[in-house]
Amino acid sequence: MGRNPRTRVRGPSFNRLIPNIMTMLGLCAGLSGMRFALEHQFEPAAVALLIAACIDGLDGRIARLLKGATRFGAEFDSLSDFVCFGVAPSFVLLMWSLEHAGRYAFVPCILFTVCMALRLARFNASLDDEDKPEYSYSFFTGVPAPAGAGLVLFPVFLGLEADRLHAEGLATFARLPLVSAVCLIVTGLLLVSTLPVWSFKNFKVPARYVLPLMLGTGLYAALLVADPWGALAGAGLLYIAILPFSRRSYHRLKQAAEEMSETVEEEPA
């Protein structure tokens, strides 16, 4: 007797669902950070947002590796980024120091969230722009969303490090409403600015700097394990410090490309 024919299951393979599952986990981590902040548990809240940032850095690359990149996944990832990096950080800072700072304390939170939405919308719109010069692919326009979330959480990182060191003066400074408001406003403006920022995924490292870079990365990883809040606060200051160098690098490449274009146009036919 012959076997009954097996019914073929229609639908995407599990490999194609892995990036979307990771995006879902990142979204859950961002929402969990808001829940911990609501209970004034700021260490778990910061850890949850860091997990969301790590997942955001992996899901797109895994999608391309597994050839599972879809339009749905891209839109889902953008919406998850808005919640995890636009809504959750401002909510954490609201509970951190702005909750009882007066009626206008919520304004910087709104400003940051709106700027993050505009930043993500501009990034999505730029994906269809095929007229961008080649050198611009190594730069973001404005600070990217995960980096913006990390910068705006600087008062939380600084305050948690001060609590660990029992530095009461530094802890009081980190919890000043003015500090949180300034971080929200400045970071929001950096998000929607036209400042060219290095995109490290396309960044080429000269051969002589490869070994120092590897050693430095290992040293920072050890520091991150031993003193996470101090390492994260220091990383935020370092990121701000490299922004002028990123701008200078962009304008040098732009000037070189324009000079090359003028040379080609002036050559006789």
Side-chain angles (χ1 to χ4, degrees):
M1 297 179 63
R3 297 181 179 179
N4 294 329
R6 297 179 62 180
T7 304
R8 296 186 62 181
V9 178
R10 296 181 178 275
S13 64
F14 182 75
N15 286 348
R16 293 178 176 271
L17 295 179
I18 290 177
N20 293 335
I21 292 174
M22 293 188 64
T23 303
M24 179 70 74
L25 294 176
L27 177 60
C28 293
L31 294 173
S32 298
M34 296 173 65
R35 179 248 181 182
F36 287 126
L38 191 61
E39 299 176 353
H40 292 270
Q41 299 180 25
F42 294 105
E43 286 194 17
V47 170
L49 295 184
L50 289 174
I51 292 174
C54 292
I55 292 176
D56 178 70
L58 293 174
D59 56 2
R61 289 169 174 81
I62 292 177
R64 290 187 291 271
L65 182 64
L66 298 176
K67 298 180 180 180
T70 61
R71 184 67 178 177
F72 171 82
E75 296 296 334
F76 184 33
D77 181 69
S78 182
L79 292 173
S80 176
D81 288 350
F82 174 68
V83 174
C84 295
F85 306 135
V87 179
S90 60
F91 185 82
V92 170
L93 283 182
L94 177 67
M95 305 305 297
W96 172 259
S97 62
L98 297 173
E99 184 179 10
H100 304 293
R103 71 171 79 179
Y104 298 109
F106 191 57
V107 174
C109 299
I110 294 177
L111 176 65
F112 174 80
T113 302
V114 170
C115 289
M116 182 64 76
L118 295 174
R119 167 70 178 83
L120 292 170
R122 183 177 64 184
F123 176 77
N124 292 340
S126 67
L127 295 177
D128 298 327
D129 186 7
E130 299 179 354
D131 298 329
K132 294 193 299 182
E134 185 177 355
Y135 61 85
S136 66
Y137 286 97
S138 298
F139 296 87
F140 291 115
T141 302
V143 172
L151 290 177
V152 83
L153 288 175
F154 175 78
V156 178
F157 298 149
L158 184 64
L160 293 176
E161 177 66 11
D163 291 341
R164 190 188 70 84
L165 298 175
H166 304 289
E168 295 182 0
L170 187 60
T172 302
F173 172 79
R175 285 178 169 80
L176 288 176
L178 181 61
V179 174
S180 296
V182 168
C183 285
L184 285 164
I185 294 172
V186 171
T187 307
L189 296 178
L190 287 175
L191 289 168
V192 297
S193 69
T194 57
L195 181 70
V197 180
W198 275 319
S199 173
F200 292 103
K201 61 183 179 181
N202 297 323
F203 191 77
K204 293 183 179 181
V205 181
R208 64 179 181 273
Y209 294 131
V210 171
L211 183 58
L213 178 63
M214 298 294 290
L215 293 175
T217 303
L219 179 62
Y220 181 77
L223 182 62
L224 189 63
V225 173
D227 187 8
W229 309 123
L232 291 169
L237 295 176
L238 180 62
Y239 192 86
I240 289 293
I242 68 172
L243 292 180
F245 298 97
S246 174
R247 181 179 181 275
R248 185 179 65 176
S249 176
Y250 176 84
H251 285 290
R252 282 182 176 179
L253 292 174
K254 181 180 179 181
Q255 183 178 3
E258 291 175 350
E259 291 176 355
M260 185 179 299
S261 177
E262 291 176 359
T263 302
V264 172
E265 290 177 357
E266 291 175 358
E267 288 182 355

